[in-house]
Every structure is written in C-alpha cells, then in structure tokens.
Amino acid sequence: MDKRHPDRIVIVGASAAGLTAAETARKDGFAGDIVMVGAENSAPYMRPPLSKQILAGTWAEDRALFRSRGELDALNVEWRLGTSAVHLDRDKRQIHLVDGSSIDYDGLVIATGVSPIQLSDGHQLAGVHVLRTANDARALGSDFTPGRRLVVIGAGFLGCEVAAVARTAQLHVTVVDPLEAPMMRQLGAEIGGQIARLHQSHGVEMVLGNGVSSLQSHRGSVTGVELTNGTLLEADLVLVAIGSTPGTEWLTDSGLSLSNGVDCDEFCLAAPGIVAAGDVASWHHPSYGRRMRLEHQTNAFEQGAVAARTLLGTATEPFAPIPFFWSDQYNVKVQVYGTPHRDATVSITHGDPNQGRFTAVYRHNGQMEAILTWNLPREAVRLRQELVSDMALRAPSVANL
C-alpha cells in the first residue's frame, strides 16, 4: 500500500463508490481538499431504482438521491459536476477534463462506473433506448404507453427488470437473448428457467437462443428487430440491455493496467496514490482466489470505503466481501449472496420453486460459492451466515466483513 498521506484527494465519478470514498475520508479525519468530478449534473444517486421504481413512476427522482443537500454541504467537497475526465497524467499528477481545465491531485479515486454497450447501428433511431442514467430512465418511461410493443434485447438483470415494469404498464413485451435462459450468466440455467417461467406467466414473450442482426426503421423511428434466424419482431420501442463496459476510456494512455476495468490489488490500489472502487474496479478477491469486477451497489459502498482508507494508509485488511445483489420482478424478490461460479452445481435446499418460495445453494468443487433466495428474505440472512462460515475457512478476514 501507498503510505504517503495525500493533502488533496480527487474523486472521478460522482457515484455510490465516489460518495462513500469522500464520506469515509472525512469520517476518518481527512481535513484536506476533496474534489468530486461527475459527468452528470446530478449529485450521486441510486441506480437500482432506475429500472424499477423510477421507471414505474412510483418514486420521484429526488427520492433516489443518496444524501440531502445539507449532508452533502457538510462534507466540504468541491463539486465539479456536468464534466468528465478525458486524460490522466500520472507524472504530473493531473486530471484533464473535457472542458479544457485540469485538476492536480495527491490521491486519486477512480469511480467512473460503466457505460452501456450499444448495438453497432440503430441507436440514432427514435424509440431505441439504453438505461444507465436518470435521463435514460426518464426518456424510456415517457415512451411507456399501454399497448405499445417493446422489444428488450438482453435478458440480464436490467432487461428482465425493465420487462417486468413494462408488462405491468400493459405494454406488449418480447425479450430476446442468445442464451437459452434469462439471467443465465449470473444465475445459471436452472434458476434462469424459473425467471423465464415467471415472465411468461405475466404474458412476456421469451425469444431465447437467438441473436439480433439489425434494427428496422421507418422515417427515423424503429419499427422492428430482425433476429439472426431471420425472424422479424415488430417494435415501437427497443431497450438495448446487452451489458456494459468499464469507464476507462480516459485512462487508455495512463499506464495503468486495464484488463477488465482498472486492475487493483486486494486493497483496491491500482498504482501509488491511485485507487479504484465500484463498477470500474477489478481486484483480486483473496477468498475466491480470482479477480472480480462487480456491478452491484452494495459492493460500490463497501469498496469505496476500503479504497479511501488505502489512500489514507489506514486500511488494515484486504477487500474480501461477500458479494450481495438483488432483483425485484413483479411480486418476486431474488436475493443472492456470493458469486456463482459458471460451473457450479445448484441444489434447492428449502421450499419449492413451483410454490414461488425457495432457496438454492451453489457449490463448486465441493465448496459453497453462493446462495439464492426467492421470496424468502429471512432465509437469506441465515444462509449468508453459512456462506460466511464456509468462506472464513478459506480466508479468515472474510468473517469480519
């Protein structure tokens, strides 16, 4: 770790991880300058509600803000919102911004998150959307009119959550994915099959095992989605939810290792005086024994705190959390602790999938890797303790997180 204490910390990314890093630095006694750079004009806000409550209109946008104006003012942070970083000069310890200005730093927190992957063409068409920001949610929601035809390209968490909101809003919804089950990359084929049946029971058409070849249009508006098998799906709206890429384009000539996001050690250190946290950070998880990059809000909070303490020289243990994420779809809450290995075996340990309430355990090479609950939140708490105990045998520091 870098033991040199900074006098001026610059945080690039007004995100959950960036905000937590600032709050942790202040809480731990850092009295120097903190500058927060954010590409959006908004103070940091929660992103999970964008595909659920905000899109559905059950939350006002300001409800998603992490902190009140008074709480933000009390942090004594210089806010540079509505601008983004375009270059990092590590020799001069300077960050260059898109508006032509630059900022000097002693310590740097990279918390720039991710950007949605777009199709190679068609994004200029009216009715074609991605969903990452509050502006994206506002634009997509304004197009939700009962009876319209929405095609969701990508059956991951985001695509499935939007499909659920759209179907509840009485749109006709079709979900397309090249894999054989929705959320298969995250949860495997068995649980993915449960997700598919859930959506089908609500009237969603699942077109699985098919890719997209092109978007069709008329007078600048999308009219359909052509699949790789030649099928044409009529569409008034399209959501492209095919994944994301780490926000590292401004770092390509920085000399930092960027194999999948910003590569860090187990203390979130990327280089002397530079740490990374949140969706953009790839770090070595000592308990799982492999490098991870997690796009989950809980991880962003936890990692932002460790990254700040690494900069200040006060981090005492490697970052080895039990990952946690959740998804709300219709009347179902799916909660997951851990990270299922792609080759893990799944066993139902409690309840019955046919009854809509169950728990599942993922094991790989005989070791518990993750647990999942489906409408059983109390079981999630109990099973998490089992997972913590199991992983503590591999890395004792995990039990303290």
Side-chain angles (χ1 to χ4, degrees), residues 53-365:
Q53 296 93 335
I54 290 177
L55 184 61
T58 58
W59 279 22
E61 287 185 24
D62 60 1
R63 184 173 174 181
L65 293 172
F66 285 119
R67 301 289 182 263
S68 68
R69 173 50 56 189
E71 290 171 322
L72 294 178
D73 289 344
L75 281 176
N76 190 25
V77 167
E78 178 187 343
W79 296 90
R80 299 288 296 272
L81 301 177
T83 189
S84 55
V86 295
H87 176 65
L88 169 62
D89 188 330
R90 288 172 57 194
D91 293 332
K92 294 182 178 179
R93 293 201 171 215
Q94 277 188 339
I95 298 153
H96 297 258
L97 305 182
V98 70
D99 61 10
S101 63
S102 62
I103 305 174
D104 297 330
Y105 71 88
D106 297 311
L108 171 62
V109 180
I110 300 171
T112 42
V114 294
S115 297
I117 297 173
Q118 301 187 356
L119 297 176
S120 57
D121 57 19
H123 275 277
Q124 76 283 1
L125 298 174
V128 177
H129 297 268
V130 293
L131 181 54
R132 174 63 184 174
T133 68
N135 286 341
D136 295 335
R138 194 180 309 119
L140 179 59
S142 68
D143 277 349
F144 274 17
T145 302
R148 301 193 81 185
R149 298 164 299 184
L150 168 67
V151 175
V152 178
I153 303 174
F157 276 93
L158 180 64
C160 286
E161 289 176 352
V162 170
V165 172
R167 190 70 195 99
T168 302
Q170 300 179 25
L171 279 75
H172 299 291
V173 181
T174 303
V175 176
V176 179
D177 197 279
L179 297 182
E180 299 301 322
M183 297 170 62
M184 187 170 169
R185 295 176 183 85
Q186 299 93 349
L187 302 179
E190 183 173 347
I191 303 301
Q194 288 293 126
I195 297 290
R197 288 186 283 275
L198 171 67
H199 281 271
Q200 289 165 338
S201 72
H202 285 82
V204 172
E205 181 183 3
M206 286 281 172
V207 181
L208 303 171
N210 284 278
V212 171
S213 62
S214 66
L215 300 183
Q216 304 297 307
S217 64
H218 178 67
R219 294 184 178 179
S221 295
V222 70
T223 59
V225 177
E226 184 175 355
L227 305 183
T228 51
N229 66 1
T231 301
L232 180 63
L233 303 174
E234 294 183 343
D236 303 303
L237 303 173
V238 171
L239 173 71
V240 179
I242 55 177
S244 56
T245 56
T248 59
E249 62 282 348
W250 63 289
L251 299 169
T252 53
D253 58 353
S254 66
L256 295 177
S257 178
L258 306 173
S259 65
N260 176 26
V262 178
D263 294 335
C264 308
D265 67 11
E266 65 271 27
F267 289 91
C268 305
L269 189 71
I274 301 175
V275 294
D279 297 2
V280 75
S282 170
W283 90 105
H284 178 78
H285 195 302
S287 299
Y288 284 95
R290 62 180 185 263
R291 186 166 288 280
M292 287 188 176
R293 187 177 64 81
L294 300 178
E295 297 181 18
H296 307 311
Q297 182 172 274
T298 302
N299 182 75
F301 287 139
E302 296 173 343
Q303 199 165 29
V306 172
R309 290 181 175 127
T310 293
L311 271 188
L312 298 176
T314 59
T316 58
E317 292 184 342
F319 183 54
I322 300 293
F324 171 68
F325 55 94
W326 75 96
S327 181
D328 297 318
Q329 299 173 38
Y330 307 107
N331 60 342
V332 169
K333 178 178 285 293
V334 176
Q335 295 173 284
V336 180
Y337 284 100
T339 300
H341 192 280
R342 63 183 180 181
D343 297 323
T345 58
V346 182
S347 57
I348 305 301
T349 59
H350 184 81
D352 183 351
N354 294 323
Q355 300 299 317
R357 301 165 75 88
F358 68 92
T359 64
V361 172
Y362 294 79
R363 294 185 182 276
H364 181 245
N365 291 333

